Amino acid sequence: MPQMSMIEAIRDAMDVKMGQDDDVVVYGEDVGYFGGVFRCTHGLQKKYGKHRVFDSPINESGIVGTAIGMGAYGLRPCIEIQFADYIYPAYDQIVSEAARLRYRSNKDFIAPLTIRTPCGGGIFGGQTHSQSPESLFTHVAGIKTVIPSNPYDAKGLLIAAIEDNDPVIFFEPKRLYNGPFDGHHDRPASNWSKHPLGDVPEGHYTVPIGKASVFSEGSDVTILTYGTMVYVAEAAKKETGIDAEIIDLRSLMPLDVDTIVESVSKTGRCMVLHEATQTSGFGAELAAQVQERCFYNLESPVVRVCGWDTPYPHAQEWDYFPGPGRVGKELKAMMEAE
Amino acid sequence: MSEYKPLKFHVPEPTGRPGDEPDFSGVIIPEAGSVRRPSIDTHAADMKELASTMVRVLNKDGEAVGPWAEGLDDDILVQGLKNMIRVRAYDERMMTLQRQGKTSFYMKCTGEEAIAVGFRAAMQKGDMNFPTYRQQGLLLSTDYPVVDMICQILSNSRDPLKGRQLPIMYSSKEHGFFSISGNLGTQFIQAVGWAMASAIKGDTKIAAGWIGDGSTAETDFHAALVNASVYKPPVVLNIVNNQWAISSFRGIAGGDHATFAERALGYDFPALRVDGNDFLAVYAASKWAVERARRGFGPTLIEWVTYRVAPHSTSDDPSQYRPKEESSAWPLGDPILRLKNHLIKRDLWSEERQTQTEAQYNDEIRAATKEAESYGVMGSGASPKDMFDDVYEEMPPHLREQRQKLGV
Ligand SMILES: Cc1ncc(C[n+]2csc(CCOP(=O)(O)OP(=O)(O)O)c2C)c(N)n1
Ligand SMILES: [Mg+2]
């Protein structure tokens, strides 16, 4: 199997779908000739032509709005918002339009679009290149929200998203583009070429939307997480020796409640871990689900470890980022709690 | 069978890509001095052509000609040259800091210095700019301490923004420099709102909005123009058309054949299109629009025609998407060189003074950098404690708790 970075896997997913289906079009800011600021669409314009892969004006509302129009015509746009931090101008088109089109037209029209967007910090991008706004979308009925943590899942989930008839927000943790990142920013970066999850099959395959994966089995505590934090959890597990079961949710909406319940019922403890700010974050939904479904199995309160409730700072990035030190400390405290 | 041929999807293309010869034959440059200078109370409908042509003052021989050349103060021209030299010295030094790993990021305005410096010279204390990240000249031509600017670039213990903001996103109310946002276009409409407030309160202050050619595509651009049209507030709306928006040429913002300035006409307020590399034209046009605003005749849209000589940012490599020689082929030349030649011709300047001034500002910036570095470089100065302040006026209990958890 070819070894791919997350960037290559994402590109390959679009390549596979564009090759199979003439209705798939790809566009966004700097996406066409240049191939995107993270190079995810590099080479696609050359291969499929300017009428299927093109640069868009710097107008996020327009990128999503045109995609909804194209979807109504019958195309399957896979569009890029350059950074998740710039998705807000498109929020109205996503929330009031894409999310509700099927419902309000009684299936007369659908919005089969995929919105790819890099999220998360770890690159000293400051508050406009670091945010994780997933909960702003999981809160909205009618949108699916996915967030892969590795090249294999990225390709399979992106193909599934493009094939899905509902609008899908596809978050790409930018700190994982080139390799897994466990939060130890002062250590040399690793890349996907040496990682089993960098093994990506050629051609078509899907990872189903709505299925979590058990990233690492364990018996002491369940860590519910996704994106970059999967590797942070893994590092904390190693460093504390606490036998955590790490669940990579992959899909936040729909949510794989069965996998969550099965794991928490087994371990009796649950940590919710995400990079986004804590208050009203997706972790609140996860904690509520666990409380509702696993209350009598819990041996200690559900704990949230998240980004602090501040804007994402520039220089204090590593104080903000919930790294393995903080996760490990909380894990130990949980294990001591009766 | 249909009588219509299949439709074709149109995507504009620039005149050159890597490997091609630069081609600016489509950039129509009128003779310096050929464009009229209407009075500042002229109605938009009576000066339409100024949105399509180009106001230019300096001719090929470096002489100031035509109606826009009148009444320009020599001291301001000399000071303008000095300020532009200072901006360029600053940019070069900050680039070096980034390459040395002392900061994370930087953006230069090389080739565009005349616009911010010339415009600032036409403003008064109390006026407010809503700048983009490429308008460092607005701040560098005031008495804002350059050490503070560098401390912001370094995110160190003296960073006026406490390490919270990406380098180059300065803020100084006192110096008429509104806090820069990383989100494009958002501030264009805010400038209109600030100017509306000035009119509501019967003040005499004006505001200036700033936006790049690419960012005119944002919906907020329309919001700015329609509100400016309706309320006629004292605002100058500046579009810096440097031909590129990262890898996208101006045509991807709808500026391939129409000019950006012409957009104002549909909103019934006047526009000027100006040679942005001609300091005299920049200053003259700025004075016109600022005076128009301050006298209560309402908004002006100005398109500054220039070229982004530098990469978009330290994360960018323009050789991937535009002809290598394009910046040297740019027909409007270099703003510093053009003003220098003009002033030398008039005996207001000399090659010697040029050399001296360059050395003086290099020394100034080098010394300021040294001082700034003594307060720490990227990652070694800003305090984690500062992260929690100023989210709200008073820190709510949950943030207090989180700060304690972090142990700061
Ligand atoms: C809302 C938003 N969308 C996208 C971006 C990413 N971005 C930053 S600068 C830039 C290009 C802007 O070009 P232009 O407006 O021409 O200004 P210039 O950089 O040429 O001065 C883009 C797309 C952003 N910062 N904000
Ligand atoms: Mg530009």
Side-chain angles (χ1 to χ4, degrees):
Chain A
M1 272 199 294
Q3 204 73 25
M4 291 188 198
S5 73
M6 198 131 148
I7 293 168
E8 291 162 335
I10 286 164
R11 185 188 303 146
D12 197 40
M14 287 185 271
D15 195 355
V16 166
K17 279 317 298 176
M18 293 193 85
Q20 283 182 343
D21 183 352
D22 284 346
D23 289 339
V24 176
V25 293
V26 166
Y27 60 100
E29 293 158 21
D30 302 291
V31 155
Y33 182 85
F34 183 53
V37 295
F38 289 105
R39 319 317 313 271
C40 289
T41 55
H42 184 64
L44 294 179
Q45 184 179 70
K46 209 164 198 176
K47 187 162 176 186
Y48 295 103
K50 279 197 305 178
H51 63 301
R52 291 185 63 199
V53 182
F54 49 92
D55 290 325
S56 76
I58 303 174
N59 183 321
E60 293 75 14
S61 159
I63 294 170
V64 176
T66 52
I68 294 171
M70 290 184 201
Y73 179 91
L75 301 191
R76 288 190 177 278
C78 177
I79 54 182
E80 176 178 306
I81 300 291
Q82 199 164 83
F83 284 86
D85 316 67
Y86 304 139
I87 206 166
Y88 308 117
Y91 200 57
D92 191 33
Q93 286 289 343
I94 297 170
V95 172
S96 313
E97 305 300 322
R100 300 182 196 156
L101 193 53
R102 172 191 299 282
Y103 187 81
R104 78 180 192 217
S105 71
N106 192 22
K107 302 185 281 288
D108 204 12
F109 292 100
I110 59 169
L113 42 123
T114 301
I115 304 175
R116 295 179 35 244
T117 191
C119 68
I123 62 158
F124 276 115
Q127 55 190 280
T128 52
H129 305 89
S130 308
Q131 295 165 51
S132 299
E134 62 273 10
S135 72
L136 300 181
F137 298 96
T138 56
H139 190 59
V140 176
I143 314 174
K144 294 181 179 176
T145 301
V146 302
I147 174 165
S149 70
N150 59 71
Y152 179 90
D153 284 353
K155 179 174 170 184
L157 273 172
L158 185 52
I159 291 177
I162 294 171
E163 291 174 352
D164 201 291
N165 281 335
D166 287 316
V168 181
I169 316 271
F170 188 90
F171 284 109
E172 300 173 2
K174 66 177 86 72
R175 187 61 214 234
L176 299 182
Y177 271 146
N178 294 307
F181 174 66
D182 65 6
H184 285 296
H185 55 92
D186 40 3
R187 298 184 190 165
S190 52
N191 62 50
W192 288 115
S193 66
K194 299 180 198 85
H195 200 282
L197 289 167
D199 268 353
V200 177
E202 277 175 82
H204 182 279
Y205 70 95
T206 58
V207 169
I209 295 175
K211 278 300 292 169
S213 93
V214 180
F215 181 82
S216 169
E217 283 185 18
S219 55
D220 290 344
V221 48
T222 298
I223 303 180
L224 301 178
T225 191
Y226 47 91
T228 311
M229 290 301 134
V230 168
Y231 304 95
V232 173
E234 191 190 28
K237 172 175 176 171
K238 236 185 262 162
E239 286 156 25
T240 57
I242 293 170
D243 190 25
E245 178 144 299
I246 301 167
I247 309 283
D248 177 359
L249 295 171
R250 302 194 293 201
S251 165
L252 307 186
M253 180 60 65
L255 182 65
D256 184 356
V257 174
D258 292 345
T259 299
I260 295 173
V261 169
E262 197 180 312
S263 176
V264 178
S265 306
K266 177 178 85 181
T267 62
R269 296 181 206 263
C270 178
M271 171 186 282
V272 170
L273 172 61
H274 60 58
E275 191 181 343
T277 48
Q278 174 167 305
T279 302
S280 301
F282 192 65
E285 173 64 26
L286 292 172
Q289 292 280 355
V290 169
Q291 187 276 138
E292 280 169 11
R293 294 166 196 270
C294 309
F295 184 77
Y296 297 105
N297 293 312
L298 285 174
E299 289 164 41
S300 63
V302 179
V303 166
R304 285 182 291 173
V305 181
C306 311
W308 309 118
D309 286 326
T310 73
Y312 210 111
H314 171 250
Q316 299 92 339
E317 173 145 54
W318 301 119
D319 301 304
Y320 180 89
F321 187 91
R326 238 170 91 197
V327 174
K329 208 167 123 188
E330 296 284 352
L331 278 177
K332 283 187 208 150
M334 281 176 83
M335 293 314 295
E336 282 155 18
E338 282 312 319
Chain B
M1 225 180 69
S2 168
E3 59 174 303
Y4 298 107
K5 282 200 247 123
L7 291 163
K8 280 211 168 61
F9 184 56
H10 175 71
V11 182
E13 270 297 318
T15 52
R17 288 296 193 185
D20 296 337
E21 284 299 310
D23 174 9
F24 286 118
S25 56
V27 182
I28 294 159
I29 303 171
E31 282 293 313
S34 64
V35 175
R36 73 187 166 114
R37 184 180 190 279
S39 63
I40 57 164
D41 60 352
T42 305
H43 191 269
D46 299 326
M47 52 175 287
K48 280 189 175 173
E49 87 280 11
L50 275 91
S52 309
T53 178
M54 202 189 290
V55 173
R56 306 181 68 237
V57 170
L58 289 173
N59 69 13
K60 282 196 252 353
D61 300 323
E63 295 154 345
V65 294
W68 294 88
E70 280 158 36
L72 302 182
D73 186 335
D74 290 345
D75 291 343
I76 287 184
L77 302 186
V78 171
Q79 191 55 49
L81 180 59
K82 290 184 183 169
N83 288 342
M84 289 198 286
I85 295 170
R86 190 168 185 243
V87 172
R88 198 165 286 183
Y90 179 82
D91 271 1
E92 290 309 322
R93 193 81 209 155
M94 296 308 103
M95 272 306 275
T96 308
L97 283 185
Q98 197 275 342
R99 276 196 225 101
Q100 293 171 337
K102 291 174 179 167
T103 185
S104 56
F105 182 77
Y106 193 70
M107 296 174 104
K108 302 202 316 181
C109 66
T110 316
E112 306 176 32
E113 293 92 343
I115 299 161
V117 170
F119 190 86
R120 191 70 184 78
M123 295 181 96
Q124 289 181 8
K125 201 160 172 60
D127 295 343
M128 185 62 77
N129 283 292
F130 289 73
T132 72
Y133 45 74
R134 229 179 281 287
Q135 261 63 60
Q136 50 267 57
L138 292 172
L139 209 45
L140 281 163
S141 43
T142 68
D143 59 358
Y144 186 80
V146 72
V147 175
D148 288 9
M149 287 180 76
I150 304 172
C151 287
Q152 198 280 327
I153 297 291
L154 294 174
S155 292
N156 64 18
S157 62
R158 292 275 183 100
D159 171 4
L161 307 181
K162 302 193 167 163
R164 293 173 190 153
Q165 271 283 53
L166 200 66
I168 61 133
M169 307 259 172
Y170 319 101
S171 173
S172 174
K173 189 189 230 174
E174 196 196 329
H175 292 81
F177 197 95
F178 186 75
S179 153
I180 297 182
S181 167
N183 297 62
L184 298 172
T186 49
Q187 308 201 305
F188 216 48
I189 176 65
Q190 295 163 8
V192 174
W194 196 99
M196 286 163 64
S198 178
I200 288 169
K201 298 302 279 183
D203 207 337
T204 58
K205 293 176 187 143
I206 69 123
W210 294 87
I211 203 165
D213 48 281
S215 307
T216 61
E218 288 287 7
T219 308
D220 284 344
F221 177 82
H222 163 74
L225 266 64
V226 75
N227 279 277
S229 170
V230 169
Y231 302 111
K232 308 271 179 263
V235 67
V236 182
L237 294 169
N238 297 285
I239 301 170
V240 180
N241 174 8
N242 61 8
Q243 314 301 319
W244 289 96
I246 311 184
S247 74
S248 301
F249 85 117
R250 64 176 194 287
I252 299 294
D256 201 0
H257 300 296
T259 76
F260 289 99
E262 283 159 1
R263 296 182 188 185
L265 301 178
Y267 294 88
D268 191 33
F269 64 88
L272 304 173
R273 188 162 182 271
V274 182
D275 178 344
N277 290 18
D278 174 345
F279 184 89
L280 278 75
V282 171
Y283 177 56
S286 304
K287 257 179 49 164
W288 187 93
V290 166
E291 186 68 4
R292 177 183 169 93
R294 208 182 306 282
R295 296 264 176 223
F297 299 118
T300 306
L301 183 69
I302 307 182
E303 173 184 347
W304 305 107
V305 183
T306 185
Y307 186 85
R308 196 198 78 212
V309 173
H312 173 71
S313 73
T314 45
S315 319
D316 180 45
D317 173 14
S319 73
Q320 299 284 319
Y321 53 76
R322 65 184 189 188
K324 202 161 168 234
E325 305 302 332
E326 211 183 65
S327 69
S328 38
W330 174 242
L332 295 176
D334 176 71
I336 295 185
L337 210 59
R338 284 174 72 191
L339 180 56
K340 174 190 136 188
N341 289 342
H342 169 72
L343 293 177
I344 289 178
K345 203 170 192 96
R346 293 183 52 211
D347 278 336
L348 294 165
W349 196 251
S350 64
E351 287 290 352
E352 237 169 43
R353 282 189 72 188
Q354 180 76 16
T355 315
Q356 273 169 12
T357 308
E358 285 171 6
Q360 176 201 329
Y361 286 128
N362 282 337
D363 289 349
E364 184 212 4
I365 305 293
R366 189 175 306 117
T369 304
K370 208 169 157 211
E371 185 188 338
E373 283 185 46
S374 74
Y375 307 129
V377 297
M378 179 69 204
S380 72
S383 158
K385 200 165 167 288
D386 289 333
M387 190 165 64
F388 296 93
D389 291 335
D390 304 320
V391 181
Y392 301 92
E393 187 175 16
E394 277 181 47
M395 193 181 293
H398 75 286
L399 275 183
R400 206 167 289 284
E401 194 180 293
Q402 290 181 14
R403 196 179 71 182
Q404 277 160 7
K405 223 174 198 170
L406 183 61
V408 293

